[in-house]
Amino acid sequence: SKEESMDDIYFTGGGGTDLYPVFEFFRNRPPTVLVVFSDFCCYPIEEDPGFPVIWISINNPDAEVNFGTLIHYEMKDN
C-alpha cells in the first residue's frame, strides 16, 4: 500500500459548515464509508447514521464526535 502525504493539500473556508445535508443525502443511499473533512466549527451530528463514518478534524484538537472514528490533523503553516 502506497502512503501519500497530505502536506501539499490546502483547505480553505471559514463560513460555518452545515453537515446535516450531507447525512440527509446519504440516509437512503448508505455509503460503504463516509469521510468528512471539517474544522468542526459547526453543530454536531447527534444520531449515528448506521454506516461507518471517519471524521478528519482539521486544525481543531478540541473537536469531538458522537460516533465514528475521529482523526485529528494539523495543517502546517506555509
Side-chain angles (χ1 to χ4, degrees), residues 49-77:
F51 50 78
V53 178
I54 298 173
W55 305 90
I56 311 293
S57 170
I58 307 298
N59 292 344
N60 185 351
D62 297 325
E64 296 179 0
V65 296
N66 295 310
F67 56 87
T69 301
L70 176 61
I71 299 170
H72 291 277
Y73 185 79
E74 292 296 316
M75 298 286 296
K76 296 177 185 174
D77 290 334

Side-chain angles (χ1 to χ4, degrees), residues 25 38-40 60 62 70:
F25 177 84
S38 179
D39 60 6
F40 288 85
N60 185 351
D62 297 325
L70 176 61

Side-chain angles (χ1 to χ4, degrees), residues 17-58:
T17 304
D18 184 355
L19 297 173
Y20 286 94
V22 175
F23 283 84
E24 185 61 31
F25 177 84
F26 288 110
R27 177 182 305 274
N28 294 320
R29 35 179 109 62
T32 302
V33 63
L34 176 63
V35 180
V36 178
F37 289 79
S38 179
D39 60 6
F40 288 85
C41 294
C42 58
Y43 292 108
I45 301 294
E46 300 288 338
E47 185 180 334
D48 187 328
F51 50 78
V53 178
I54 298 173
W55 305 90
I56 311 293
S57 170
I58 307 298

